[in-house]
Amino acid sequence: MKSNDILNKEDIRAAMHKALQENDAEGYSRAMTQMMECIREELKQQYEEALEQAKHDADRSVLAQRGVRQLTNQERTYYQQVGKAMQASDPKQALANLDVVMPETVLHSVFEDLKTEHPLLSHIQFTPTGAAIKMLLNTNGRQEAQWGQLCDKIIKEILAGFKEVDTGLQKLSAFLPVCKAMIDLGPEWLDSFIRQVLYEALANGLEAGIVAGDGKDKPVGMNRNIAPGVAVVNGAYPEKEAIAVANLDVKTVGNLVSLLAVNENGQYRVPKDVILIVNPQDYLQKVMPATTVMAPDGTYRNDVMPYPMTVIQSAALKKGKALLGMGYKYFLAAGMDTNGRIEYSDHYQFLEDARVYLIKLYANGFPMDNNAFLSLDISKLQPKTYLVTQLTEQKPSTNAAISDLRIGSLQLTPAVSAETTTYTAQTTNATNTITVVPADAGATIEIAIKAGDDAAQSIENGTAAAWKEGDNTVTVTITAEDGTTKATYTVTVTKA
């Protein structure tokens, strides 16, 4: 049953983030209910439109052409049995006796949507897991191979950079209010509904934990201090002290990024995949004015930074605060409950004409080292300013000297220098390549060759000259950048 006050998805997401920040369980439940209704109504409308278009041919290939995700045989069997159980007179018992579990492909599809469509989750080290598991994680971020004999000390040093991570410590629960009308639409639409609900639940819940989770029954956020020896009170990590940032000019950004270039073990690294996370309102009021420039064609370029980075807007971050760090240095693992089942819930009776179901997921996340992310105070961030510098017009160079003069591999006498203008060389070759390097890049070069009574022939710099028997005079004329100052160098090449 659709309420008249249902908001759009963006407004509902904002309400969910606000409820998470204020620890408002009732507000979050109310917003999640609205999200369910919004998704259900959208899917119902999509179904009716697709059914109308395909009423003469409801073949799976036709549905696929209309953008409906096609199910594997295992997925189709699963949703058919789940739908049948949900419509039973005793759905709790029917689901408990269900002998199929949700295929991993369903959850993988949700994770792919998260990584592809969600700006923040697409930058972190997001690892889907089949269930609650333990993993070995490299915390040093860099290991150097050791030369010499293998010994116990070296092995211990390498292994010291790894720690065991339990990804099943934190639990996410997604509630699925499903009306019978949705079940009647068929497996494809039930699949789409469940995947979208999972997406919304995960995207909002995970983002709140990734950005600002304190580690108590939730992930450790990017804004938390995880340095060795830091005081952890009742499982909660303290927030990092925020660095005041008044501008985003070259020097400021360079100084900030340089703090990321050393890990907490004192090892240097090249900062990459740098992200700047800001509150959406702060982005429009502070970050955008500080990072927007006008191009020569009159259009604007947004998010122009002195160092390569991606600006990400997140409602999970409080106003006045920002996070700067390397996205890949945040580790997140998420997976479904080991039994992979949808369960019936008796605890939520606030919806009419709908039954409430529960899906349990596990996730855990934390920064891989304490120097990977910086907390910033951007409350006093100023718009970009432009510095106008008046330059004195530079006079054209009068330098017409040479830096080098080479004729193949011939030895010129005396040794080449800018002050010496006359040289001799001996050869038995028919040709040699002449190369002249001016002392000033703005100078121009002319090369001419004259043998006996023949007329002088001009050649391009860097090309071969042909010699005749006897003396051949090579004349090199350098004209300085001012167009007036000239210098002439001559080489007499005698061919035996």
Side-chain angles (χ1 to χ4, degrees), residues 342-392:
I342 295 179
E343 301 175 357
Y344 181 82
S345 175
D346 292 320
H347 302 292
Y348 296 87
Q349 305 295 339
F350 50 82
L351 294 175
E352 298 180 12
D353 300 326
R355 287 170 173 164
V356 179
Y357 302 91
L358 177 69
I359 290 180
K360 298 176 184 177
L361 302 111
Y362 289 93
N364 197 6
F366 47 85
M368 294 170 66
D369 73 67
N370 199 45
N371 290 6
F373 298 93
L374 306 175
S375 179
L376 309 180
D377 177 358
I378 59 170
S379 58
K380 297 182 180 180
L381 184 63
Q382 297 299 310
K384 181 178 286 295
T385 57
Y386 296 91
L387 178 64
V388 178
T389 303
Q390 185 173 355
L391 299 177
T392 303

Side-chain angles (χ1 to χ4, degrees), residues 41-51 189 192 196:
E41 288 298 323
E42 286 182 358
L43 287 172
K44 183 178 178 182
Q45 182 179 354
Q46 292 175 16
Y47 171 79
E48 291 173 349
E49 292 175 355
L51 186 62
W189 302 97
S192 183
Q196 288 198 42

